[in-house]
Amino acid sequence: MSLRSVAIGCDHGGFPLKHTVMETVEALGLKPIDCGTDSEASVDYPDYASAVARKIIEGEAQRGIVICGSGVGACVAVNKVAGIRAGLCHDCYSAHQGVEHDDMNVLCLGARIVGANLADELVRAFLEAEFTGEERHERRKAKVLEMERTQKPL
Ligand code: RB5
């Protein structure tokens, strides 16, 4: 699936980083889809995480980026949606390896943890990476998808 559009959502804690993330996406020649929020007025991160997930599930975006204060809440929330494979990555290795090995389709960031320069590098690492499709990674991904499909209790 070729990467064309990236859905971006944040809560008030993530809002200070949203502009940087949007600019980086545009600089890579991709279309950013702004899913809000648009100020530092207090909101609930699940609302913005689900808006980003919806864009991906409906096929309008191929990847997503969610930003909250720590990145944790947004990551927990967005991973509740079937078809989303999100990771909280504050180092560049994880940001690209999560795509290459795990087919991560949503990057989660904490605006109170990373600054604009590191966020720019993380977004580039995430969006420039591709799933390798190697047999062992496909096998593991298939097991994750089976867990998602059956929702087996542990
Ligand atoms: C908001 O204050 C904060 O709790 C939220 O942005 C996020 O960090 C939750 O994980």
Side-chain angles (χ1 to χ4, degrees), residues 3-4 19-20 25-26 33 43 46 55 72 82 91 93 99 103-104 112 115 135 137 141 149-150 153-154:
L3 177 57
R4 300 176 307 279
H19 185 65
T20 297
V25 169
E26 279 183 332
I33 300 175
V43 292
K55 294 288 184 196
V72 174
D91 67 276
Y93 177 77
V99 177
D103 205 13
M104 174 171 72
R112 296 176 187 157
E135 193 278 333
H137 300 315
K141 181 183 159 190
R149 197 182 66 77
T150 58
L154 297 178

Side-chain angles (χ1 to χ4, degrees), residues 11-14 42-43 45 67-75 110 112:
D11 72 354
H12 54 291
S42 183
V43 292
Y45 60 80
I67 320 161
C68 66
S70 63
V72 174
C75 191
R112 296 176 187 157

Side-chain angles (χ1 to χ4, degrees), residues 42-114:
S42 183
V43 292
D44 299 332
Y45 60 80
D47 297 335
Y48 300 89
S50 60
V52 167
R54 194 171 306 116
K55 294 288 184 196
I56 295 170
I57 300 310
E58 291 176 354
E60 209 177 314
Q62 295 74 46
R63 299 239 187 124
I65 299 172
V66 293
I67 320 161
C68 66
S70 63
V72 174
C75 191
V76 168
V78 79
N79 269 315
K80 296 298 178 191
V81 179
I84 298 301
R85 294 173 297 281
L88 172 56
C89 303
H90 287 161
D91 67 276
C92 289
Y93 177 77
S94 302
H96 68 78
Q97 194 254 24
V99 177
E100 292 158 356
H101 289 199
D102 312 320
D103 205 13
M104 174 171 72
N105 55 8
V106 174
L107 173 69
C108 308
L109 297 173
R112 296 176 187 157
I113 315 297
V114 297

